[in-house]
Amino acid sequence: FHTLGNGTLLEAVVLPEDEDPNEWLAANTVDFFNELTLLYGLCSADIEAKNLGPGEGFPKNIVYYWDNAEDEAPGSNKLYKDLSGPEYVELVFTWVENLIENPTVFPTDEEADWPEDFKEGYVQKMFRRMFRVFAIIY
């Protein structure tokens, strides 16, 4: 087991031997999400006070959009336009939490199969959106 204090960052993120890659990605995705929600909770009042509307916040003049149609959820044909940073964060957190709690995406049964596109279709998209939250926090 490596921590950043006793090894390099590259060593800390290597898939352990004999570990299922999807299981490892799932555990780290959930951990990252939990840490991100805790961090956002610590500074959300400051962020909400600074981001009064679309285009205000970080990066300057950036307007966030959310297209539910790309998430392929039933009845999700609504495009949210001109979101403030905090509105975008709320959508990201709700979306990620719903995916984590969905057993067809994050199986809870050891015998269940992972989605074929778990890494490319879910995990990468989740991290892309969660990293935008870091930009908003900044």
Side-chain angles (χ1 to χ4, degrees):
F1 180 73
H2 292 285
T3 66
L4 294 180
N6 66 4
T8 68
L9 182 58
L10 290 176
E11 291 172 349
V13 296
V14 171
L15 175 68
E17 287 185 40
D18 300 326
E19 181 75 36
D20 178 282
N22 288 328
E23 188 72 40
W24 187 82
L25 284 170
N28 282 282
T29 301
V30 171
D31 184 55
F32 188 88
F33 174 68
N34 289 335
E35 295 292 333
L36 182 60
T37 57
L38 286 172
L39 179 62
Y40 186 76
L42 290 172
C43 56
S44 62
D46 291 336
I47 293 168
E48 290 168 5
K50 290 178 185 175
N51 295 305
L52 301 175
E56 298 176 4
F58 181 83
K60 190 174 177 120
N61 298 321
I62 293 296
V63 177
Y64 294 94
Y65 296 91
W66 187 271
D67 184 1
N68 278 341
E70 72 180 33
D71 298 327
E72 301 177 23
S76 63
N77 56 359
K78 187 173 184 179
L79 174 66
Y80 294 95
K81 294 183 178 182
D82 301 336
L83 298 170
S84 68
E87 290 170 326
Y88 182 81
V89 170
E90 187 62 35
L91 286 171
V92 169
F93 285 172
T94 300
W95 176 75
V96 171
E97 186 170 17
N98 286 341
L99 286 175
I100 290 170
E101 292 176 355
N102 182 343
T104 62
V105 178
F106 282 76
T108 54
D109 181 3
E110 290 183 22
E111 302 300 318
D113 293 327
W114 293 91
E116 266 187 46
D117 61 342
F118 182 67
K119 179 181 175 184
E120 292 81 11
Y122 293 101
V123 174
Q124 288 179 352
K125 190 174 185 180
M126 292 168 79
F127 272 94
R128 183 172 47 250
R129 289 180 172 177
M130 288 190 290
F131 276 113
R132 288 183 191 133
V133 172
F134 270 111
I136 291 167
I137 291 170
Y138 177 76

